[in-house]
Amino acid sequence: MSSTTAATTAATVSPAERTGARTDEAAALIGGARERIDTLDDRIIGLVQERMAVSAVIQEARITSGGRRVNLSRETAVLGHYRDALGKPGTALAMTLLELCRGRV
């Protein structure tokens, strides 16, 4: 489908159809909530990037002082914190954050 055809099709699709809602009222609610989620996702991405930068500072200081790049006891504490707050999926999220923040130095 060409971009023009896709744009025309999107314009003719009702808000309810676009969101999977059964009513226009529900579609409006979903549309607003999705905008809020997009805003939250942008904030989360920014916070992750900030966490990565702070982690790089810590790693550089640790390496410069003769230490190791990674502190396993600290990582275990982070994993536990996320698990306690978010359950088992929190552990997976923490692992992803730790992976993103490792080895940047």
Side-chain angles (χ1 to χ4, degrees):
M1 181 181 326
S2 73
S3 61
T4 304
T5 305
T8 302
T9 302
T12 61
V13 174
S14 74
E17 291 171 320
R18 236 186 332 268
T19 62
R22 301 274 178 158
T23 65
D24 287 339
E25 294 79 19
L29 178 75
I30 292 168
R34 284 181 176 170
E35 288 177 14
R36 179 76 176 127
I37 284 175
D38 291 344
T39 299
L40 290 168
D41 285 343
D42 288 342
R43 286 175 51 197
I44 291 167
I45 290 166
L47 289 169
V48 169
Q49 290 170 332
E50 183 177 348
R51 189 189 196 289
M52 291 168 66
V54 172
S55 181
V57 168
I58 292 168
Q59 289 175 57
E60 185 169 336
R62 192 180 299 119
I63 291 167
T64 301
S65 72
R68 297 176 49 150
R69 179 177 52 87
V70 175
N71 181 328
L72 295 178
S73 64
R74 171 63 181 159
E75 288 195 357
T76 299
V78 170
L79 291 168
H81 180 69
Y82 275 78
R83 182 191 61 247
D84 292 347
L86 303 172
K88 186 177 178 181
T91 304
L93 177 59
M95 285 298 297
T96 299
L97 286 170
L98 291 170
E99 183 179 341
L100 282 167
C101 294
R102 282 188 203 122
R104 302 294 179 194
V105 177

